Amino acid sequence: MGYSAENYRAVKETLERRRRAAIEESERRRAALHMQSPEVAEIDRALRRTGLSLFRAACEGGKDSPAFLRVVEENQALQESRAALLASLGLPADYTEVHYTCPACGDSGYVDIHMCACMRRELTLAGFRSSGLGPLLEKQTFESFSLDYYRADPQNLRLMERTLSMAKEYAEGFSMRAGNLIFFGRTGLGKTHLSTAIARTVITRGYDVVYDSVPNILADFEFDRFKNGYGAEPPRADKYLEADLLIMDDLGAEMTTAFSVSCIYNIINTRLSAERPTIINTNLGEDELQERYNDRITSRLLGEYRPLVFVGEDIRRQKLQ
Ligand SMILES: Nc1ncnc2c1ncn2[C@@H]1O[C@H](COP(=O)(O)OP(=O)(O)OP(=O)(O)O)[C@@H](O)[C@H]1O
Ligand SMILES: [Mg+2]
Ligand SMILES: [Zn+2]
């Protein structure tokens, strides 16, 4: 469970690059400063010496010994004249310090053993990118989901209020034991919109989410099946089996073949056995599901997936008017 290993590795590398760049930048500033001001260069050499003396005095006499206190004073005096020199050059006292992007963790991603907020943020952004949802994540949120489009019929409105509140509850309480959802409804009623909103919330909570339409998912399985084994890239379809949450959009939009049916069964069954939650969207009704897929698939969809219904008038059309 948790962030995908690939994203984790990529984020660690990004942070490490940042960290190195910050250190190199501070070394460049220091070298340039030493060229510009030989006095500062001399003070920096002296400071290095007092650093060593401090260590030696602490080892020999302890931190209360007169020798130690003398070096501390010397060190302070050097720091002060250095700051004054920098000020006379119009530079801040910390000019040659390393300026990390995140001072809290020094761009290491961790504060002690805890993951830093900056790393968590980067992982979330990486999760948005790798989810397959792209720009939809910004547009199709819970906030932009309006119940106004369903008001024409009070019964529809009540159903959609329930659908929305169940979707929110699912997203906010998501865990690997959240179970599965199936969204039923005709075209343009908000199934993809609410799935995207759930994805955003779940990614932000630190889970690895993968979204795609069933035809695209099947294309990846097909690709793996026919690719040349020698020097091949890693399987494209593993992510659908392994993601913490998989969102399969448009079940029923694919061309039905023995291969498509066996892939869909494989995904559904593997994820159920591994207790990995899945959300499926479909325009098909229960009867159409029964007609198109074998009992082993429909029995799982109808028995293990909580149904949420989408009703009303096509919102794509309502928005045009
Ligand atoms: N309740 C809503 N409030 C605001 N916009 C909505 C709402 N429901 C849907 N939309 C918008 O209407 C368009 C169609 O919705 P969506 O893609 O979610 O429909 P769908 O049920 O997935 O349809 P299809 O079955 O054709 O895939 C999208 O642009 C979506 O953002
Ligand atoms: Mg859709
Ligand atoms: Zn940090």
Side-chain angles (χ1 to χ4, degrees), residues 9 11 27-28 35 79 103 108 125 152 177 189 194-195 227 256 272-273 278 315 317-319:
R9 205 174 326 110
V11 166
E27 282 164 1
R28 257 197 305 281
M35 296 282 282
Q79 298 276 13
S108 70
L125 292 175
R177 316 192 52 179
L189 294 179
L194 267 195
S195 313
K227 84 176 161 212
T256 305
L272 276 175
S273 319
T278 308
I315 288 162
R317 290 206 197 177
Q318 290 191 54
K319 285 195 171 178

Side-chain angles (χ1 to χ4, degrees), residues 142 145 160-174 181 183 194-195 197-199 201-202 279 306 308 310:
F142 283 121
F145 190 88
M160 288 309 296
E161 279 170 349
R162 178 170 171 278
T163 293
L164 174 60
S165 82
M166 284 176 76
K168 267 191 185 153
E169 210 174 286
Y170 181 88
E172 281 156 14
F174 184 85
L181 302 179
F183 291 178
L194 267 195
S195 313
I198 291 176
T201 307
V202 171
I279 297 176
R306 196 148 20 112
L308 296 193
F310 287 69

Side-chain angles (χ1 to χ4, degrees), residues 107-246:
D107 296 340
S108 70
Y110 284 86
V111 179
D112 303 327
I113 56 160
H114 300 288
M115 192 187 285
C116 183
C118 76
M119 178 151 176
R120 220 178 287 283
R121 198 163 51 239
E122 290 294 334
L123 280 164
T124 300
L125 292 175
F128 286 169
R129 283 191 297 271
S130 67
S131 68
L133 277 157
L136 286 187
L137 281 164
E138 301 303 322
K139 289 187 207 138
Q140 307 198 335
T141 60
F142 283 121
E143 291 72 35
S144 69
F145 190 88
S146 162
L147 287 168
D148 290 341
Y149 294 103
Y150 313 97
R151 287 198 196 282
D153 179 335
Q155 201 180 343
N156 285 350
L157 178 63
R158 265 198 304 283
L159 272 170
M160 288 309 296
E161 279 170 349
R162 178 170 171 278
T163 293
L164 174 60
S165 82
M166 284 176 76
K168 267 191 185 153
E169 210 174 286
Y170 181 88
E172 281 156 14
F174 184 85
S175 75
M176 294 311 285
R177 316 192 52 179
N180 313 293
L181 302 179
I182 182 162
F183 291 178
F184 287 111
R186 292 198 316 275
T187 190
L189 294 179
K191 299 184 296 297
T192 299
H193 189 127
L194 267 195
S195 313
T196 313
I198 291 176
R200 187 188 176 88
T201 307
V202 171
I203 295 168
T204 308
R205 287 169 49 102
Y207 293 93
D208 173 34
V209 178
V210 169
Y211 162 97
D212 218 325
S213 70
V214 172
N216 285 346
I217 293 173
L218 293 174
D220 280 345
F221 277 94
E222 191 95 5
F223 179 89
D224 289 346
R225 182 188 185 200
F226 289 116
K227 84 176 161 212
N228 188 342
Y230 186 72
E233 55 178 297
R236 288 184 182 182
D238 284 1
K239 63 178 185 225
Y240 304 117
L241 304 176
E242 289 166 5
D244 295 335
L245 173 64
L246 171 67

Side-chain angles (χ1 to χ4, degrees), residues 44-60 68 71 75:
D44 280 349
R45 274 192 295 276
L47 275 170
R48 254 203 312 278
R49 281 194 301 272
T50 55
L52 275 177
S53 316
L54 266 181
F55 178 71
R56 214 173 297 132
C59 290
E60 283 166 8
F68 183 81
V71 190
N75 186 295

Side-chain angles (χ1 to χ4, degrees), residues 9-21:
R9 205 174 326 110
V11 166
K12 283 288 280 183
E13 274 172 23
T14 305
L15 290 181
E16 183 52 32
R17 256 199 312 280
R18 260 185 215 163
R19 214 175 76 81
R20 272 201 307 269

